[in-house]
Structures are given as structure tokens and as C-alpha cells.
Amino acid sequence: MVKKRINKSLKIIPQSGLIALFTLSSCGTFKVRNKDNAQVSSIKTVALVGMDVVEPVPKELGLNLGSGKVEADSAGGIGKFQQKSSHVEAMYQELHRALGLRLKWKVLPKQSMINNAGYKAAYTKTMKGWQNKMPPGQNQAQYVVEDVLDYDALRIMGQDGRDKLISDLGVNAIMVAKVYITLGGTSIMGFGPRHPKSTLTFQVYKKGIEAPVWFDGNVEGKEGDSVGATGLWSVEKLHKEGLDSAIDAFSKIAQERK
């Protein structure tokens, strides 16, 4: 079937699945969050060493030259890996700001962090060349921050690598975060408005401790305004509303939740 693209501004919503973010506790049960209050309370300085964002990739409308009908043409494939975008750069800065504001931590400035020789070595080891990383799902894109590690990097470097990075950066702890943006909303006969919503997951590590001293896999942001109806939604508005929802999630980091 031959298709001709007719308008790249017209988008079709991808199907998104439910997100389940869990970590194994020491007793073998699944937990969505775990926090060692004694260890976390001793943190004064931290580096936000890694962050990435996963969000839907729209389909495009194309003209089927055989039938003459406008039909959806998948643009997502198996997922777009390590994309760059200004809205993700803004998310990193907002999370960086929230850590200082909400937790009263002194957060290492990004430029000082990425100029550090130890950090550069960790970036080369975990972000360049072939890596054992799971790509985003079909019709999803992973966005990363320029010169900053992604969420998988701390797993890849192991405890020795994490301990060395903490020492190299001269901080009490390092933190990595991931933001998922999904589209929800009520639809009738398959049609209806699409509302973006963010879910933040993060891990905080201290030197000499293998497991994260603080893990939370379900910090939810507010639901954003509609980015368009089913089949016709704006990527630009998705980025704006997704950012606003993520900022709301960042404001809830310090809240104690069951």
C-alpha cells in the first residue's frame, strides 16, 4: 500500500498501556516506594546525575493512493531512542530546582557536574556505544537531557561505579529520575479529548550502600488540558502540558504518601 504524507501537523493518538513501576523489597514483595528515613535525612548535597522522559509518539495521517482515503500511518515503530527536546531540558531544570526548594538539598549545578572528569568518564561508559538498555515501547519516544546520563546508567555502572561517581562529584548522594507522560481521557465510540499526565519515578543512592536509600515509582502529576481530540492532537501542546504536569509531580516529592 503506497501512502503520501499530506499534513505533518495532523496527528493520531498511539495506543498507550498502563504503567506499573515497582521495585523488589528485601522480603521479596513488590513495593512502589521505599525510603530509609535515617539515610535520607543525612543528605545535604546531591547531584541529579541522570534523567529521561518517555512519552507517546503520534501517528501521522497519510493518503492511501489506492483507496483515496486518509488513513493512519504509524510513525513510532519499536520506539524512538534518546531524542532531544527543549521541554525535557526544562524538566531537568525544574526537577533540579524542586530538589533544593522542597528537600532543602544543595544540588550540584549541571554545568559543574558535566564538566567533572569522573562524570565524563561515567557518561562515556554508560551512554556511548552499544549498551544493554531497553528501548521505549511501540509508538513511544525516549528523550534525554544533553550531556546527562539516562535512567539506566546507574544500573549499568553498578555499586562500584556509583560510589566512585559520588566521590568524584563530592556529594552525599546521587539521584536519577524518569518521567512518563501518558494520554488519557474519556472517549465515546473511540473519539474524545486526550489529556496528558505525568508519572515520576526516581532513585537516590549513597556511597557504600548497594540499594537506593530512597525509591519512589509513582509520583503523579496533575492531568493537563486536552491536547486535542482522538486522532488529531498537538505534539507541541503535549510537550507544554506534559511539562506542566511534571512540574506538579516534582512539587510532591517531599510529601509522605501511603
Side-chain angles (χ1 to χ4, degrees):
M1 180 176 69
V2 179
K3 290 186 179 181
K4 178 181 178 182
R5 304 210 183 278
I6 58 174
N7 190 339
K8 290 187 177 181
S9 66
L10 299 180
K11 305 295 181 182
I12 298 255
I13 302 172
Q15 296 294 325
S16 8
L18 295 175
I19 297 172
L21 301 171
F22 298 101
T23 189
L24 280 172
S25 72
S26 58
C27 62
T29 58
F30 286 101
K31 288 189 176 182
V32 185
R33 60 188 61 89
N34 188 44
K35 183 180 180 183
D36 185 329
N37 288 305
Q39 291 291 343
V40 172
S41 65
S42 68
I43 296 173
K44 305 300 179 186
T45 58
V46 69
L48 180 57
V49 298
M51 179 179 181
D52 61 60
V53 178
V54 175
E55 62 182 45
V57 173
K59 296 181 180 180
E60 295 181 346
L61 292 183
L63 178 63
N64 184 332
L65 298 181
S67 66
K69 295 179 180 179
V70 174
E71 299 177 359
D73 184 23
S74 176
I78 62 170
K80 296 185 177 181
F81 204 46
Q82 296 193 349
Q83 304 289 298
K84 305 290 177 59
S85 172
S86 60
H87 80 292
V88 175
E89 298 289 334
M91 276 191 200
Y92 178 88
Q93 292 301 328
E94 289 293 340
L95 179 54
H96 190 285
R97 187 178 71 86
L99 296 177
L101 182 64
R102 304 292 175 180
L103 299 173
K104 308 304 180 185
W105 288 346
K106 182 178 180 181
V107 189
L108 189 67
K110 178 188 174 186
Q111 202 60 43
S112 297
M113 181 181 75
I114 65 176
N115 286 338
N116 180 277
Y119 188 85
K120 288 180 179 179
Y123 186 91
T124 298
K125 182 177 181 180
T126 62
M127 295 292 289
K128 295 185 178 181
W130 186 89
Q131 300 289 340
N132 180 23
K133 297 180 181 180
M134 182 68 69
Q138 186 174 14
N139 294 325
Q140 290 186 320
Q142 179 212 32
Y143 289 88
V144 293
V145 183
E146 190 74 35
D147 297 323
V148 171
L149 303 175
D150 64 13
Y151 189 79
D152 279 331
L154 296 191
R155 170 185 61 81
I156 291 171
M157 67 178 65
Q159 183 182 348
D160 289 345
R162 293 190 295 268
D163 285 354
K164 184 178 186 305
L165 185 57
I166 291 170
S167 295
D168 288 339
L169 294 175
V171 292
N172 301 144
I174 52 177
M175 177 176 175
V176 66
K178 192 179 198 78
V179 177
Y180 287 90
I181 306 293
T182 56
L183 288 172
T186 303
S187 61
I188 300 176
M189 301 295 290
F191 294 93
R194 301 287 90 182
H195 295 268
K197 185 175 182 179
S198 67
T199 303
L200 166 70
T201 183
F202 66 84
Q203 300 180 61
V204 179
Y205 287 91
K206 291 187 70 179
K207 189 174 180 179
I209 303 175
E210 183 176 6
V213 296
W214 192 3
F215 167 84
D216 199 321
N218 192 34
V219 186
E220 294 186 344
K222 65 182 180 181
E223 185 177 89
D225 293 338
S226 173
V227 297
T230 303
L232 295 171
W233 56 273
S234 165
V235 174
E236 292 74 19
K237 194 167 184 182
L238 173 69
H239 289 174
K240 177 184 179 300
E241 294 298 321
L243 173 59
D244 287 347
S245 179
I247 292 172
D248 183 61
F250 302 160
S251 73
K252 300 172 182 176
I253 289 177
Q255 294 181 3
E256 294 295 334
R257 295 170 294 114
K258 294 182 179 181

